[in-house]
Amino acid sequence: MNKKGLARMSFSKKNSGGFMSVIFLLAIVSLISVAGYFVFTQKAVAPTYPKPPVPIMMASSSESIQIVGTTTPAQSPRALQVCPEQWIDNKMPMIIEPGQPRPVTQYFIYQGERHELVEFDMNWVNANCSLEPSVVY
């Protein structure tokens, strides 16, 4: 190869190396920007769930648990006044993240489906139904 060909070849390699460096740098900046976008928007749109009402329980002299009410200020006007089929008390171990609300572990089975305690008129259920919690592990 002659000197002109060598000079031309080294010149084109220098240009393509500079071009590739710019492309590589732009790719890195783009990736960092996209990653930063996802990190910051995940925190901004993370759903916040209201704390579920916690049942207030009281043990009677016979050691059976009776629900007296919930921490919600008032019962819904459409609270169910029916006897559920089953009362479940879930005692399965669970991992609760710090700062997260404790999940509701007691619920009723009514018409074959799970229903939360707050869906029922608890005063009516306690007065008219003979339910004992079924503990599940």
Side-chain angles (χ1 to χ4, degrees), residues 60-82:
S60 66
S61 59
S62 65
E63 292 301 318
S64 65
I65 296 175
Q66 182 180 23
I67 295 183
V68 217
T70 63
T71 57
T72 54
Q75 288 280 340
S76 166
R78 289 188 258 176
L80 297 173
Q81 290 186 340
V82 293

Side-chain angles (χ1 to χ4, degrees), residues 33-55:
S33 300
V34 169
Y37 170 79
F38 283 116
V39 167
F40 290 116
T41 56
Q42 283 295 339
K43 290 183 181 178
V45 296
T48 55
Y49 300 104
K51 289 186 178 181
V54 179

Side-chain angles (χ1 to χ4, degrees), residues 62-133:
S62 65
E63 292 301 318
S64 65
I65 296 175
Q66 182 180 23
I67 295 183
V68 217
T70 63
T71 57
T72 54
Q75 288 280 340
S76 166
R78 289 188 258 176
L80 297 173
Q81 290 186 340
V82 293
C83 289
E85 299 153 14
Q86 196 173 9
W87 178 5
I88 304 294
D89 185 8
N90 184 359
K91 297 286 186 179
M92 288 288 291
M94 61 183 75
I95 298 172
I96 301 171
E97 297 289 325
Q100 294 295 319
R102 190 172 192 321
V104 176
T105 59
Q106 293 192 2
Y107 55 92
F108 288 130
I109 301 295
Y110 176 63
Q111 295 181 340
E113 294 181 1
R114 175 184 172 145
H115 290 271
E116 302 305 320
L117 299 179
V118 296
E119 296 177 44
F120 289 81
D121 182 346
M122 292 309 299
N123 294 328
W124 191 93
V125 171
N126 285 330
N128 298 297
C129 307
S130 57
L131 284 176
E132 292 294 322

Side-chain angles (χ1 to χ4, degrees), residues 14-47:
K14 284 182 185 174
N15 280 346
S16 69
F19 179 73
M20 292 304 290
S21 297
V22 170
I23 295 295
F24 181 72
L25 183 63
L26 287 174
I28 296 295
V29 169
S30 297
L31 285 174
I32 291 171
S33 300
V34 169
Y37 170 79
F38 283 116
V39 167
F40 290 116
T41 56
Q42 283 295 339
K43 290 183 181 178
V45 296

